[in-house]
Amino acid sequence: ASPASSAASPATDNSNGRITLVLTQTELAQWCGLSREAVVKALRKLRSDHWITSNNATITIVEPLRVRERGAI
C-alpha cells in the first residue's frame, strides 16, 4: 500500500489543535514525492522553530497554523 493509503492519516486532537502523524521519515518522503534527505532537513527546521515535535515514527505539529502559513502542509 502507498503511504497515502496506509494508516498514516493525520489525527487532530481537538483539545489543543495539534495534529499527530504516525509515519516514518521515509514514508513521509515517499508520500510527498521528496528525498528522505529533503524531509529530514525540513523536519529539522520545523523542530528548531518549535513548530513540530517528533520521536520514533510520530510527528506532532504543535503549531499547525504557522506550518500552513509557511506552506509546509
Side-chain angles (χ1 to χ4, degrees):
S2 70
S5 65
S6 69
S9 61
T12 302
D13 179 350
N14 292 326
S15 67
N16 61 18
R18 294 179 179 198
I19 299 169
T20 300
L21 302 167
V22 180
L23 72 166
T24 66
Q25 292 175 347
T26 300
E27 290 170 330
L28 181 59
Q30 291 171 346
W31 197 27
C32 297
L34 299 171
S35 69
R36 183 179 177 278
E37 292 78 15
V39 168
V40 168
K41 184 177 178 180
L43 292 175
R44 185 179 303 130
K45 172 66 174 148
L46 293 170
R47 274 193 304 271
S48 73
D49 289 342
H50 305 286
W51 293 359
I52 70 166
T53 61
S54 62
N55 61 348
N56 299 327
T58 302
I59 301 166
T60 301
I61 304 170
V62 296
E63 295 288 347
L65 293 178
R66 289 185 178 181
V67 173
R68 281 188 188 104
E69 287 172 0
R70 183 168 176 138
I73 64 171

